[in-house]
Amino acid sequence: LTRDGSTIKREDLWITSKLASPFHRREHVEPAVRKTLRDLNLDYLDLFLMHWPVAFHHVAIPDGRGWPNEDIDDSGGGDKIDVSVTVRETWSAMEDLVDKGLVRTIGVSNFNVMLLHELLADCRIPPAVNQVELHVYLQQQKLVDYCSARGVKVQAYSPLGTPGYKEEGEPSVLEDPVLVEMAKDKGVSVSHLCIAWALKRGTVLNVKSRSAQRQTENLSVLSNPIALSDEDMKRIAALDRSFRYFRPEDWWPSMSMAVFD
């Protein structure tokens, strides 16, 4: 890969992808990751995650690059959920991907404590990562503690509370008055305060932005750490509402599939 006249080596990049729900059955897992590798012109992925602990009925993989539509994410309101596929079956097939050198590490996403506990009790390769919705309004401290005790790294998605996607009437993390006051006292933005809080908890962040400038600003928190005292952490802990912006039970009503309850 060449950029701005400089050559970037593959080993200098970390590339993660996810297994979509229609490809959870054992015989569909490897074709799915090979499709991703072809699309990205790669020999291997650094990390491959099981996106949801729920399988959908299989859909055909197109021959060309990319996907013509979003069928792989369409659950049909829950009607396309395949109740005959277990997490263990899918995970075993993902372990085989490591053996074949197609992926370096594997992990899960949207797993609660009991799902993770069951998987860890009967796996050959333990998940390296559990990627979950995690922000000031959904702190999931018990899940974070469990993952820490079992050596599973927690990666937070939507650590700023999905400001670009939240629905009308939903609370805004970035407009929380306590966070606004704390950020003002420290001379930082609320987003940087949230990033500092997540890092102090020992979690990894997945902060999305289309703006190169904002990406650089977010990364600056690593080189210019924001000091948070124990009292600061207690104030932020008190803001937890157990509020989810992503609610599968709203997407899959025909199955009453409340993954996190």
Side-chain angles (χ1 to χ4, degrees):
L1 176 64
T2 301
R3 182 178 181 182
D4 298 331
S6 300
T7 299
I8 302 173
K9 297 179 180 179
R10 171 64 182 90
E11 54 265 31
D12 293 332
L13 299 173
W14 181 275
I15 301 176
T16 300
S17 189
K18 294 179 178 179
L19 178 70
S21 292
F23 311 112
H24 278 213
R25 197 172 290 280
R26 171 176 287 280
E27 61 267 26
H28 300 146
V29 173
E30 184 174 331
V33 78
R34 287 190 180 278
K35 161 68 172 169
T36 298
L37 293 173
R38 287 197 306 272
D39 286 351
L40 298 177
N41 194 25
L42 296 173
D43 296 322
Y44 68 91
L45 294 172
D46 296 282
L47 175 63
F48 194 48
L49 302 175
M50 190 188 309
H51 194 182
W52 287 95
V54 178
F56 293 172
H57 291 295
H58 182 250
V59 298
I61 296 176
D63 293 329
R65 189 171 188 269
W67 298 84
N69 50 51
E70 297 183 358
D71 282 355
I72 59 171
D73 293 321
D74 180 14
S75 70
D79 292 339
K80 295 181 181 179
I81 290 176
D82 188 344
V83 296
S84 69
V85 183
T86 66
V87 166
R88 186 68 191 88
E89 176 184 343
T90 307
W91 188 255
S92 177
M94 290 176 66
E95 290 174 322
D96 292 344
L97 301 180
V98 178
D99 297 337
K100 294 179 179 181
L102 298 175
V103 303
R104 295 288 174 86
T105 52
I106 49 179
V108 295
S109 183
N110 299 300
F111 270 50
N112 60 25
V113 167
M114 288 314 300
L115 278 170
L116 196 56
H117 187 75
E118 283 294 310
L119 179 58
L120 285 166
D122 184 27
C123 65
R124 197 163 48 83
I125 302 174
V129 174
N130 185 18
Q131 186 189 88
V132 295
E133 181 182 348
L134 209 65
H135 44 75
V136 169
Y137 287 165
L138 183 65
Q139 300 185 20
Q140 302 204 72
Q141 189 61 55
K142 291 182 179 179
L143 175 62
V144 172
D145 290 343
Y146 179 81
C147 288
S148 176
R150 299 302 304 270
V152 178
K153 199 67 178 177
V154 175
Q155 184 180 54
Y157 69 76
S158 301
L160 307 182
T162 66
Y165 298 95
K166 77 179 189 67
E167 298 178 7
E168 185 177 352
E170 292 184 330
S172 171
V173 170
L174 297 183
E175 295 174 359
D176 184 274
V178 174
L179 296 179
V180 170
E181 178 189 352
M182 291 180 66
K184 183 178 180 180
D185 290 344
K186 295 180 181 297
V188 299
S189 67
V190 175
S191 59
H192 286 184
L193 178 66
C194 290
I195 292 171
W197 168 78
L199 292 173
K200 189 172 178 66
R201 297 177 81 206
T203 59
V204 178
L205 287 79
N206 185 7
V207 187
K208 296 171 65 175
S209 177
R210 295 174 181 171
S211 166
Q213 178 181 348
R214 196 163 295 162
Q215 291 172 16
T216 301
E217 291 172 352
N218 289 337
L219 287 170
S220 71
V221 179
L222 297 174
S223 55
N224 299 286
I226 299 169
L228 293 176
S229 66
D230 290 343
E231 185 59 33
D232 290 333
M233 295 298 287
K234 288 179 182 178
R235 289 186 69 189
I236 297 176
L239 300 177
D240 192 3
R241 305 184 183 192
S242 297
F243 181 83
R244 294 184 183 277
Y245 293 98
F246 297 92
R247 300 179 291 273
E249 60 269 27
D250 293 347
W251 312 334
W252 307 328
S254 70
M255 291 294 292
S256 299
M257 200 81 174
V259 172
F260 305 111
D261 291 346

